[in-house]
Amino acid sequence: MTAPSTPQGAILVTGAGGLAASAIVRAFVQSGQPVRALVRNPAKAARFAAFPLVEVVEGDMARPETLTRALAGVDRVLLASSPDPHIVETQTAFIDAAAKSGVQHIVKFSGLSAADVDSSFVFADMHAKIEQHLEHSGVGWTHLRPSQFMTEYLREWPTILAQGALFLPLQDARLAPVDVVDVARAARLLLTTPGHAGKTYAMSGPEALSMAEIAERVSDAVGREIRYVAVTREQRKQALLAAGVPPFFVDALDAQAGERLRGAESVVHPETHTALGIRPTTFAEFARRNAGAFLGELAYVGLT
Ligand SMILES: NC(=O)c1ccc[n+]([C@@H]2O[C@H](COP(=O)([O-])OP(=O)(O)OC[C@H]3O[C@@H](n4cnc5c(N)ncnc54)[C@H](OP(=O)(O)O)[C@@H]3O)[C@@H](O)[C@H]2O)c1
């Protein structure tokens, strides 16, 4: 195996085949900075083939013996992986391997709910555990805690298309979803500018919106009326199970809905956009950019 071409001081983005981390890699490309992208599935590397600034390496974050090449010469890491039942084992194993390899700083891609110690949402606890592990690892750290991604609403395209409706169990709760593109820009800046060690960055979109307001913005973008229909948590669970979502995730999403109903994510966090000089993308802008995706016609449109 040949040595990686990236010089000392390389930046590694993990989970680069996924939604958030691939947006972070694209943020590096857009700013003309080199980056190394760790993918587990080589098929996911193709998306970076056009970009010589992106060095793609393969490896499994849960298996340190596969990470030698990925970590060689790396001093900063963006840590992200799938929200799956193994996330704690995967990311803590990676942190230990990174510490051993001499990585100086890790930006942990976490979630807003990690701040909520009483949350019943399983990923709140899992991200909090990983953050704590990182803080005790001896590696420098920064926690980036985004709110719900705006892309979550694109999952609802089948009923938006077929029934002109958004069926969610959120009554009149408000949420402040964030554009993943904004979060990716923040992640790049946290990795490439000084002054972020030992700090936590909460980040949401610019408005706390009711689901009726979200439906209005989707309506404006797609050019037809989309209604918000408040369903019960049980109805939502049955719909997700019928759509083939694994029971673990159905239970996690149900607990998350419970937290959202009690207002856990209704607060707007503009401070990270402000501190880093990122203009907050509104939901209306996101919806216009993704009008085709809300109708299932086009793929998600990210960095433009
Ligand atoms: N969705 C939201 O609203 C939201 C809000 C705040 C925070 N978050 C957090 O954001 C993070 C990223 O989410 P996402 O939607 O970007 O995830 P995603 O699209 O599922 O991507 C995760 C990537 O991690 C990779 N991965 C998983 N296990 C790995 C391993 N052992 N070794 C190497 N790669 C591995 C996956 O590789 P494969 O392609 O091989 O499967 C996948 O490409 C999650 O931790 C989530 O909790 C999400």
Tab-separated table of all heavy atoms in Angstrom, residues 8-28:
chain	number	residue	atom	x	y	z
A	8	GLN	N	1.905	16.331	6.183
A	8	GLN	CA	1.654	16.478	7.627
A	8	GLN	C	0.640	17.594	7.860
A	8	GLN	O	0.634	18.593	7.134
A	8	GLN	CB	2.959	16.844	8.332
A	8	GLN	CG	3.831	15.653	8.669
A	8	GLN	CD	3.272	14.837	9.807
A	8	GLN	OE1	2.688	15.397	10.721
A	8	GLN	NE2	3.411	13.533	9.746
A	9	GLY	N	-0.143	17.448	8.889
A	9	GLY	CA	-1.100	18.500	9.190
A	9	GLY	C	-2.386	18.347	8.398
A	9	GLY	O	-3.139	19.300	8.268
A	10	ALA	N	-2.638	17.129	7.894
A	10	ALA	CA	-3.846	16.908	7.096
A	10	ALA	C	-5.096	16.963	7.981
A	10	ALA	O	-5.040	16.738	9.180
A	10	ALA	CB	-3.759	15.568	6.398
A	11	ILE	N	-6.213	17.286	7.318
A	11	ILE	CA	-7.523	17.283	7.981
A	11	ILE	C	-8.314	16.106	7.429
A	11	ILE	O	-8.438	15.946	6.207
A	11	ILE	CB	-8.279	18.599	7.709
A	11	ILE	CG1	-7.494	19.767	8.300
A	11	ILE	CG2	-9.697	18.535	8.273
A	11	ILE	CD1	-8.071	21.139	7.966
A	12	LEU	N	-8.836	15.277	8.340
A	12	LEU	CA	-9.618	14.104	7.945
A	12	LEU	C	-11.089	14.321	8.293
A	12	LEU	O	-11.414	14.716	9.415
A	12	LEU	CB	-9.102	12.864	8.690
A	12	LEU	CG	-9.866	11.565	8.428
A	12	LEU	CD1	-9.611	11.049	7.010
A	12	LEU	CD2	-9.479	10.492	9.452
A	13	VAL	N	-11.970	14.062	7.332
A	13	VAL	CA	-13.416	14.096	7.584
A	13	VAL	C	-13.916	12.661	7.542
A	13	VAL	O	-13.789	11.986	6.510
A	13	VAL	CB	-14.160	14.962	6.540
A	13	VAL	CG1	-15.666	14.874	6.733
A	13	VAL	CG2	-13.696	16.418	6.643
A	14	THR	N	-14.471	12.171	8.655
A	14	THR	CA	-14.993	10.801	8.680
A	14	THR	C	-16.460	10.798	8.246
A	14	THR	O	-17.109	11.843	8.196
A	14	THR	CB	-14.872	10.179	10.089
A	14	THR	OG1	-15.839	10.795	10.959
A	14	THR	CG2	-13.487	10.349	10.685
A	15	GLY	N	-16.954	9.592	7.955
A	15	GLY	CA	-18.364	9.465	7.538
A	15	GLY	C	-18.645	10.204	6.245
A	15	GLY	O	-19.778	10.628	5.983
A	16	ALA	N	-17.596	10.342	5.407
A	16	ALA	CA	-17.684	11.255	4.256
A	16	ALA	C	-18.626	10.770	3.160
A	16	ALA	O	-18.949	11.533	2.250
A	16	ALA	CB	-16.284	11.512	3.690
A	17	GLY	N	-19.072	9.520	3.271
A	17	GLY	CA	-20.077	9.063	2.313
A	17	GLY	C	-21.472	9.527	2.684
A	17	GLY	O	-22.420	9.368	1.910
A	18	GLY	N	-21.626	10.116	3.862
A	18	GLY	CA	-22.958	10.458	4.356
A	18	GLY	C	-23.379	11.885	4.043
A	18	GLY	O	-22.616	12.666	3.453
A	19	LEU	N	-24.582	12.209	4.459
A	19	LEU	CA	-25.177	13.519	4.138
A	19	LEU	C	-24.347	14.686	4.686
A	19	LEU	O	-23.899	15.559	3.937
A	19	LEU	CB	-26.600	13.568	4.735
A	19	LEU	CG	-27.304	14.920	4.680
A	19	LEU	CD1	-27.666	15.261	3.247
A	19	LEU	CD2	-28.552	14.908	5.560
A	20	ALA	N	-24.145	14.725	5.996
A	20	ALA	CA	-23.510	15.892	6.611
A	20	ALA	C	-22.026	15.972	6.248
A	20	ALA	O	-21.523	17.029	5.848
A	20	ALA	CB	-23.683	15.840	8.128
A	21	ALA	N	-21.324	14.841	6.401
A	21	ALA	CA	-19.872	14.889	6.187
A	21	ALA	C	-19.526	15.112	4.718
A	21	ALA	O	-18.521	15.765	4.404
A	21	ALA	CB	-19.222	13.613	6.728
A	22	SER	N	-20.355	14.616	3.795
A	22	SER	CA	-20.048	14.892	2.375
A	22	SER	C	-20.254	16.379	2.091
A	22	SER	O	-19.532	16.969	1.271
A	22	SER	CB	-20.868	14.015	1.427
A	22	SER	OG	-22.229	14.325	1.505
A	23	ALA	N	-21.192	17.011	2.778
A	23	ALA	CA	-21.371	18.468	2.628
A	23	ALA	C	-20.145	19.205	3.166
A	23	ALA	O	-19.733	20.237	2.614
A	23	ALA	CB	-22.629	18.922	3.354
A	24	ILE	N	-19.549	18.667	4.231
A	24	ILE	CA	-18.346	19.291	4.792
A	24	ILE	C	-17.184	19.171	3.798
A	24	ILE	O	-16.448	20.131	3.567
A	24	ILE	CB	-18.004	18.659	6.164
A	24	ILE	CG1	-19.128	18.954	7.160
A	24	ILE	CG2	-16.657	19.177	6.674
A	24	ILE	CD1	-19.081	18.131	8.439
A	25	VAL	N	-17.051	17.997	3.201
A	25	VAL	CA	-15.997	17.827	2.179
A	25	VAL	C	-16.227	18.822	1.047
A	25	VAL	O	-15.282	19.479	0.569
A	25	VAL	CB	-15.968	16.370	1.661
A	25	VAL	CG1	-15.005	16.236	0.482
A	25	VAL	CG2	-15.570	15.411	2.781
A	26	ARG	N	-17.471	18.994	0.621
A	26	ARG	CA	-17.749	19.959	-0.463
A	26	ARG	C	-17.443	21.395	-0.026
A	26	ARG	O	-17.018	22.216	-0.833
A	26	ARG	CB	-19.198	19.832	-0.942
A	26	ARG	CG	-19.440	18.576	-1.779
A	26	ARG	CD	-20.756	18.651	-2.539
A	26	ARG	NE	-21.914	18.697	-1.671
A	26	ARG	CZ	-22.479	17.626	-1.109
A	26	ARG	NH1	-22.011	16.423	-1.355
A	26	ARG	NH2	-23.526	17.749	-0.316
A	27	ALA	N	-17.624	21.691	1.250
A	27	ALA	CA	-17.282	23.034	1.742
A	27	ALA	C	-15.773	23.277	1.606
A	27	ALA	O	-15.343	24.389	1.277
A	27	ALA	CB	-17.736	23.198	3.194
A	28	PHE	N	-14.970	22.235	1.854
A	28	PHE	CA	-13.517	22.363	1.637
A	28	PHE	C	-13.224	22.585	0.164
A	28	PHE	O	-12.414	23.439	-0.202
A	28	PHE	CB	-12.779	21.112	2.147
A	28	PHE	CG	-12.451	21.156	3.603
A	28	PHE	CD1	-13.387	20.774	4.555
A	28	PHE	CD2	-11.214	21.601	4.042
A	28	PHE	CE1	-13.098	20.830	5.914
A	28	PHE	CE2	-10.910	21.669	5.402
A	28	PHE	CZ	-11.857	21.284	6.332
